Amino acid sequence: MRSVEQRCVPGSRVDPRVAGLRSAVARLRRQLAAHPAEFRDRAVAEDELAALADLAAGDRPDVPGLRRSLLLVAGAIGSVSALRPGVRELREAVDLFGRPPRG
């Protein structure tokens, strides 16, 4: 099995990691919009997903910004079990840009 990082898209200039990130953000935004229950931090999750979409719009996303928004989304949505798979997919997409530095 090849990772997104290793896939080549013929005729495409978009980094496959960026394409995967865009897809994960869009999917989680749709899932959140369709989720019927209100919860306290829903607005935070929506705002940070919008920020992630903006970061993913460029060819070279700001990795610390991605990680910051991911943490905020995970914290805001973490208790909503129906959205956990989408949050996991988003985390995996962000992880393709490299692990955060330890320190």
Side-chain angles (χ1 to χ4, degrees):
M1 181 191 274
R2 300 175 85 184
S3 74
V4 172
E5 198 170 15
Q6 296 170 324
R7 253 184 250 148
C8 294
V9 180
S12 175
R13 291 187 173 172
V14 176
D15 182 337
R17 298 174 302 167
V18 174
L21 176 63
R22 291 174 184 165
S23 176
V25 169
R27 191 171 298 112
L28 186 54
R29 287 179 92 177
R30 285 191 306 271
Q31 291 170 354
L32 180 58
H35 190 69
E38 286 298 320
F39 51 93
R40 189 181 62 186
D41 292 331
R42 186 180 190 121
V44 172
E46 291 169 344
D47 290 347
E48 289 306 317
L49 285 169
L52 279 164
D54 287 343
L55 288 169
D59 293 337
R60 303 180 104 186
D62 172 53
V63 177
L66 291 176
R67 293 209 166 277
R68 177 190 169 282
S69 289
L70 171 63
L71 287 173
L72 290 169
V73 168
I77 295 179
S79 65
V80 182
S81 61
L83 300 174
R84 281 190 197 138
V87 173
R88 183 180 59 246
E89 180 185 0
L90 179 60
R91 180 188 51 81
E92 291 169 354
V94 170
D95 282 349
L96 290 175
F97 289 92
R99 298 281 182 193
R102 295 187 182 224

